[in-house]
Amino acid sequence: MQVTLDSFALKSFTKSLNCLSRYGEELTIYATPETFSLSATNLSKSAYCRFKYEKQFFSKYVLNEQKSTGTEWGLDEAISVTGQMLIKPLLSILKHRTVEKTVEKCEMSIIEGNLRMEDGSPVEDNLVVRLYCKHGVVKTHRLLLLTPTSLMAPGVPDAYNESNLTIGPKAVKDMIEHFPLARGVKSDPQLIWSFGESEVELRSLESSIDSKGKAQLITELTISAEEFDVYNVYASPTTIAFHLREFNATIAFAESMSLSLNIRFTDPSAPLFIDVEGDSLEALFVISTSQVHGAVTGAPSQYYQPLANKKRERDETPVDQNRVKKPTKVAQRINKLESLPQSTQVVRPTPVVQRTESDMTMPPPSFIPPAILPHNPFQEPLFWPSSSQLSAANGVAFQGTGLGLEYMDADELANMLEGEGEEVAYDFSAMVVLPVNPHRSYVRRANFRVLSKSEPTCTTT
Amino acid sequence: MLQPSDDEEISPVFKASVHDIRYFTALLRGVNFVNRATVTITDRGLTVTVEEARTLLGTAFIFSDIFDEYFYHSESPPPAPSSQDSQEGEVVDNAAFEVPLNTLIECLNIFGTVGPASTNTSTGKYKKWRKAGDDSDHDNGDEGRGRAGMSNGAHNLGVGARGIDSYFGGPEKRTGMRMTYVGSGYPLTLLIAEDALGPTSTCEITTFDAEPHLELEFDNSQMVLKIILKSSWLRDALSELDPSCDKLTFIGNPPPDASVSNSRQNPKSRIGVQPMLRIQATGTFGSTEMDYPNDRDVLETFECTRAVKFSYRCGHISRTLRALQSSTKTSLRIDEHGLLSLQFLMPSPKPQGAQSEVSDAFIEFRCLALDDDV
């Protein structure tokens, strides 16, 4: 594979890499004859990011057809080249301050190890980044390329009850800036977003305190839906919560490219999808969300649903998946044996039933069309929610407050904490009456900023 | 060799003064990677030498004409001038002592007026030396932040004061210095004053007897590669290397029109023409090669008698970065045995055109090559 970027395209490419590096450490390259995709998944597999460049983006795009790794993956259609590598070294090459000034052309090629037989150099695949600078200086960086053990792919969004928002990056940034977020690598705050009929309410999640108990500050911000260029909420209010770290990376990217964000989400436990489209560029960001307990009432929630809990080893029960949906991983590993769907748009994640909550507001059970049930009944999700999104302290805190799930009786609680998952899920589904959301058919389309921009109200308790 | 005190007052071994210490300090900073430095005083100037790991030798050559006043009086009695200090060999009549370089630089910067440590690589840095008043606030602000360590507050104050002066076009305030070394066993005395009316500071720095140094003689007759290039090229190249790299290789090939070399050093290259200069580094995540063509804009001088390939430890080469950053031109030479000599021309603040070539100080690094087997 060989691609060539001119200096303009290189700038955009570097911005993408910068964004990818904030999603995950490992970059997966997936090149087909028409598109060149870069993707990254974070460690807990709760966020996924993919940049797909059209062939036209590159001044030269050649895919070597001699050896197709696609066949290994059971891809019939595709000649494709895949590779996996650490983002950091590549980014540090392309982000170097001299690159912007002097590089005229950047050529990237994947050289497969077995093609390099001139000398006894190692047979790993290499990503060769060759920078052609002014005055004929050529800088060649060889980076080790691993064969990806798996391709990550996000679940397909469910179009049935999808909400659809479009907003410029600046506007989102203005909203998020109101929330004092602790700095630091480990800090990964969550925000609760309530999309109402005409207002959007943002609230910091009080569980986002750090282990020292700091940041016991809840900020609430209400903003008019007119801030959004497009505002279609399938059922208002919809309340979702998600982590900001990756979301911020997306915003920063969109802002640097002056592209607006198209946000899609379905229900509180399904991932949030963000599309950013530019010239010859299609970026997809998927961030898992979590349900917020009792959020529909608008009262400050007292409980939150952790993304991870200790009971995740329990068996999945596909029967129940449309009852209680848990935050699922946004990216799934694709096994070699499975058929790989077209380009990395893939398999519906099998939702994992992990724990129950008695009064959570649910979408109607029929919301998942049968068509998106897992293709392979024997397929198991290989990624489970992991605890990386939450500190141990949070887990402890949850257990403390979790006992306050006063709607459960002791047996259920015991079941929840220790019992078999199937049983719990079964009991639960038998017991809970699922409310049908009266607003489900309500779809609102916002005016395009006809009215004066409303001032966001900021309440701090 | 101690002398009666009344004698010292009359004729110290070494006495020099300069009205602006920044250039002098910049030269010292260029070799400030090992604390203990040997200062050798000769008729023509000073050399400051440091050594690391018996492999790397850094020397700053500071000529006497950068000082306003320079006086050297041989410590040894005139009839027998060669009796005492003869480490350098070439110049027999010189005095040498060792001094903690960090302390010396800190003392020079006691008013915080020396300016930034040359960690910032902004181009055109040397311009500021041409006229003391013309550094912009911006430069100093940026680099002042980068300056680590003590005297930070004083440093910033000094910057502010100078910055305002430069706006008002007022008299240039420069920190002057008078340096005295009475003789062996005496401290090095610095008298530093920010201006005539301001405070003065007297620093005495303990000196030590000079110890013999690593001798790395570069024999020009055995030179196989000689390159003169703008420092910015080398600086960018070194700064782009991955920090994980441990080995840096210089590969030189004779220009294409010269006799064909039969030992192609790097068959990996897919470029048809052999690069004349290739800098190659290998790190954890891969390797980096930088090829420089035979272009006058890049390589001002390129002489290569045969294909050469020598490797050096990255850690040693990176010691040169500080000097490299404040230099304008670099001369890179490698001899038959792989001894690398890097000379950095440090632009002098004096604006004399014709004479500047003479008075520009330079800093030289010599580094032994790694064994090929390793």
Side-chain angles (χ1 to χ4, degrees):
Chain A
M1 184 210 77
Q2 191 180 15
V3 300
T4 308
L5 296 149
D6 59 22
S7 61
F8 179 76
L10 183 62
K11 242 175 247 174
S12 152
F13 192 80
T14 308
K15 282 173 190 161
S16 307
L17 275 180
N18 206 12
C19 181
L20 283 159
S21 74
R22 291 171 68 178
Y23 268 78
E25 290 175 352
E26 293 239 310
L27 176 72
T28 305
I29 298 169
Y30 182 81
T32 66
E34 292 303 316
T35 57
F36 182 79
S37 304
L38 300 171
S39 59
T41 312
N42 73 354
L43 278 178
S44 53
K45 309 284 181 284
S46 66
Y48 170 87
C49 166
R50 183 188 66 203
F51 289 87
K52 197 191 263 181
Y53 287 100
E54 304 278 322
K55 191 179 170 183
Q56 292 77 18
F57 177 80
F58 305 94
S59 33
K60 195 174 144 198
Y61 189 89
V62 178
L63 205 63
N64 205 344
E65 306 198 2
Q66 292 169 354
K67 183 190 170 192
S68 160
T69 50
T71 51
E72 286 177 23
W73 295 89
L75 282 179
D76 327 318
E77 98 247 33
I79 298 148
S80 64
V81 174
T82 54
Q84 194 170 17
M85 62 184 298
L86 290 174
I87 298 180
K88 276 259 170 60
L90 178 63
L91 187 61
S92 68
I93 291 168
L94 296 181
K95 222 168 68 170
H96 195 270
R97 67 194 155 73
T98 56
V99 166
E100 203 170 312
K101 277 186 262 168
T102 62
V103 172
E104 289 170 337
K105 187 170 81 157
C106 170
E107 188 183 287
M108 271 183 261
S109 38
I110 290 178
I111 297 184
E112 281 158 23
N114 54 3
L115 297 181
R116 298 173 53 211
M117 290 182 290
E118 295 174 63
D119 56 354
S121 55
V123 289
E124 298 112 343
D125 287 2
N126 271 322
L127 176 72
V128 179
V129 181
R130 186 163 284 154
L131 302 170
Y132 293 90
C133 308
K134 286 176 185 156
H135 302 297
V137 176
V138 180
K139 296 176 181 172
T140 310
H141 299 269
R142 286 169 206 280
L143 299 167
L144 263 161
L145 201 62
L146 309 170
T147 307
T149 47
S150 63
L151 287 174
M152 293 296 190
V156 180
D158 177 16
Y160 187 93
N161 56 348
E162 185 174 273
S163 300
N164 181 353
L165 315 170
T166 302
I167 190 167
K170 192 78 179 66
V172 195
K173 206 177 163 195
D174 286 347
M175 290 181 209
I176 292 179
E177 266 173 359
H178 288 283
F179 294 89
L181 304 174
R183 304 241 165 233
V185 190
K186 289 197 176 168
S187 127
D188 191 8
Q190 277 194 76
L191 278 193
I192 303 170
W193 300 64
S194 295
F195 297 96
E197 288 180 28
S198 61
E199 283 186 333
V200 177
E201 184 189 299
L202 279 76
R203 196 169 67 240
S204 46
L205 190 61
E206 62 265 48
S207 62
S208 310
I209 52 170
D210 59 17
S211 52
K212 291 170 194 154
K214 280 184 192 165
Q216 304 239 11
L217 181 72
I218 301 169
T219 304
E220 251 180 63
L221 176 93
T222 308
I223 204 156
S224 162
E226 285 154 20
E227 289 292 309
F228 292 81
D229 297 333
V230 175
Y231 190 80
N232 292 325
V233 175
Y234 176 74
S236 59
T238 301
T239 301
I240 57 175
F242 55 88
H243 287 271
L244 276 186
R245 182 193 294 168
E246 288 87 8
F247 191 64
N248 280 336
T250 302
I251 293 169
F253 170 77
E255 198 181 18
S256 69
M257 299 290 290
S258 307
L259 298 171
S260 61
L261 304 154
N262 183 19
I263 302 171
R264 292 175 289 147
F265 54 89
T266 50
D267 72 297
S269 58
L272 177 85
F273 289 80
I274 304 167
D275 296 296
V276 176
E277 285 186 26
D279 292 339
S280 313
L281 161 70
E282 206 177 284
L284 172 70
F285 307 90
V286 190
I287 299 170
S288 74
T289 61
S290 41
Q291 273 168 318
V292 181
H293 182 89
V296 173
T297 65
S301 71
Q302 296 194 333
Y303 318 108
Y304 72 98
Q305 177 140 11
L307 273 175
N309 74 42
K310 292 168 181 166
K311 296 290 104 186
R312 65 168 168 267
E313 286 84 5
R314 66 188 54 181
D315 294 339
E316 66 175 293
T317 47
V319 178
D320 289 331
Q321 68 178 346
N322 47 7
R323 305 285 166 91
V324 180
K325 279 195 44 157
K326 300 307 297 178
T328 53
K329 292 310 171 189
V330 300
Q332 309 285 319
R333 194 185 294 271
I334 295 162
N335 272 327
K336 281 193 179 187
L337 297 174
E338 291 173 26
S339 65
L340 184 70
Q342 66 286 358
S343 67
T344 52
Q345 283 273 355
V346 224
V347 186
R348 174 74 191 177
T350 309
V352 183
V353 178
Q354 293 160 340
R355 69 181 259 275
T356 58
E357 249 176 277
S358 50
D359 67 342
M360 67 178 54
T361 303
M362 308 281 304
S366 62
F367 85 102
I368 295 182
I372 58 166
L373 285 173
H375 304 315
N376 300 326
F378 52 85
Q379 171 202 355
E380 286 188 356
L382 294 177
F383 294 108
W384 303 91
S386 85
S387 58
S388 65
Q389 294 272 23
L390 289 168
S391 68
N394 279 338
V396 171
F398 164 69
Q399 290 200 344
T401 62
L403 296 174
L405 294 170
E406 56 270 69
Y407 308 101
M408 299 182 128
D409 60 42
D411 287 340
E412 281 180 27
L413 187 63
N415 275 341
M416 187 186 84
L417 295 176
E418 293 173 25
E420 286 299 313
E422 284 167 300
E423 286 178 36
V424 174
Y426 181 77
D427 292 346
F428 170 69
S429 60
M431 176 185 77
V432 173
V433 177
L434 294 165
V436 174
N437 194 328
H439 300 294
R440 55 176 296 187
S441 61
Y442 186 89
V443 176
R444 182 178 184 281
R445 185 158 186 98
N447 296 322
F448 283 78
R449 296 173 188 267
V450 181
L451 301 171
S452 66
K453 184 174 173 178
S454 59
E455 280 298 308
T457 57
C458 202
T459 332
T460 298
T461 56
Chain B
M1 181 168 188
L2 304 179
Q3 300 190 350
S5 63
D6 50 345
D7 269 355
E8 296 159 20
E9 294 306 321
I10 299 159
S11 61
V13 167
F14 169 63
K15 200 165 71 179
S17 68
V18 66
H19 66 281
D20 186 354
I21 57 174
R22 286 180 293 170
Y23 184 52
F24 179 62
T25 314
L27 294 171
L28 294 181
R29 279 181 173 157
V31 291
N32 186 21
F33 57 92
V34 173
N35 194 21
R36 185 66 68 86
T38 305
V39 179
T40 308
I41 305 163
T42 72
D43 273 334
R44 292 197 52 229
L46 306 173
T47 63
V48 182
T49 307
V50 293
E51 157 194 333
E52 184 179 274
R54 306 294 292 168
T55 308
L56 179 69
L57 194 67
T59 310
F61 294 88
I62 307 168
F63 297 112
S64 59
D65 46 4
I66 76 152
F67 297 100
D68 297 335
E69 181 191 14
Y70 185 91
F71 170 75
Y72 169 64
H73 170 74
S74 174
E75 209 172 356
S76 33
S82 62
S83 60
Q84 189 173 351
D85 298 306
S86 54
Q87 275 103 0
E88 288 303 304
E90 317 144 321
V91 187
V92 282
D93 185 22
N94 55 19
F97 56 86
E98 275 185 20
V99 71
L101 200 52
N102 263 337
T103 315
L104 176 56
I105 292 170
E106 272 164 35
C107 287
L108 288 168
N109 197 26
I110 199 158
F111 294 119
T113 47
V114 162
S118 40
T119 48
N120 194 308
T121 58
S122 64
T123 55
K125 184 175 163 54
Y126 64 94
K127 276 182 193 156
K128 86 168 61 165
W129 303 111
R130 305 228 178 264
K131 182 166 171 281
D134 66 1
D135 8 340
S136 69
D137 262 351
H138 171 72
D139 258 1
N140 284 314
D142 265 354
E143 298 168 7
R145 257 174 272 133
R147 163 118 181 87
M150 55 318 304
S151 78
N152 218 349
H155 171 75
N156 289 336
L157 281 178
V159 165
R162 254 189 311 141
I164 287 168
D165 273 346
S166 70
Y167 279 116
F168 291 124
E172 295 172 356
K173 268 190 192 165
R174 288 169 294 197
T175 307
M177 168 200 72
R178 182 177 296 276
M179 185 162 56
T180 316
Y181 174 62
V182 173
S184 173
Y186 285 88
L188 180 70
T189 309
L190 301 174
L191 186 68
I192 300 165
E194 198 169 355
D195 60 37
L197 302 171
T200 59
S201 138
T202 307
C203 312
E204 292 195 349
I205 302 167
T206 310
T207 60
F208 304 85
D209 284 344
E211 303 260 340
H213 256 291
L214 177 71
E215 296 271 346
L216 296 175
E217 284 306 316
F218 192 90
D219 185 355
N220 260 330
S221 64
Q222 296 201 316
M223 184 177 72
V224 290
L225 179 69
K226 178 183 179 185
I227 295 165
I228 294 177
L229 76 168
K230 279 205 194 75
S231 290
S232 56
W233 286 108
L234 189 60
R235 186 189 69 210
D236 290 347
L238 295 184
S239 65
E240 262 174 64
L241 298 179
D242 192 276
S244 72
C245 291
D246 55 345
K247 199 170 112 176
L248 185 72
T249 308
F250 289 101
I251 297 169
N253 284 306
D257 50 351
S259 63
V260 180
S261 93
N262 50 4
S263 64
R264 175 87 186 262
Q265 293 297 340
N266 195 337
K268 277 180 252 173
S269 165
R270 299 190 309 168
I271 300 173
V273 189
Q274 294 180 17
M276 293 202 326
L277 171 65
R278 169 173 286 183
I279 301 173
Q280 185 179 324
T282 315
T284 324
F285 300 114
S287 68
T288 300
E289 290 162 8
M290 298 183 208
D291 298 339
Y292 294 86
N294 188 9
D295 186 330
R296 291 274 159 201
D297 286 337
V298 182
L299 305 178
E300 291 181 20
T301 307
F302 185 86
E303 290 168 24
C304 183
T305 53
R306 64 172 176 87
V308 285
K309 179 183 184 181
F310 286 108
S311 301
Y312 304 90
R313 196 166 288 286
C314 254
H316 289 148
I317 301 296
S318 63
R319 294 298 199 185
T320 68
L321 271 177
R322 208 172 331 188
L324 179 61
Q325 276 161 5
S326 27
S327 69
T328 50
K329 278 186 190 180
T330 301
S331 145
L332 185 155
R333 296 177 300 164
I334 296 179
D335 80 358
E336 285 216 308
H337 308 290
L339 175 63
L340 171 75
S341 156
L342 281 169
Q343 290 183 345
F344 303 114
L345 189 72
M346 307 293 281
S348 101
K350 294 192 178 175
Q352 312 120 348
Q355 216 189 337
S356 65
E357 202 61 33
V358 186
S359 65
D360 272 355
F362 63 92
I363 296 179
E364 172 163 16
F365 289 88
R366 287 183 184 164
C367 186
L368 292 171
L370 291 168
D371 278 344
D372 286 336
D373 312 332
V374 180

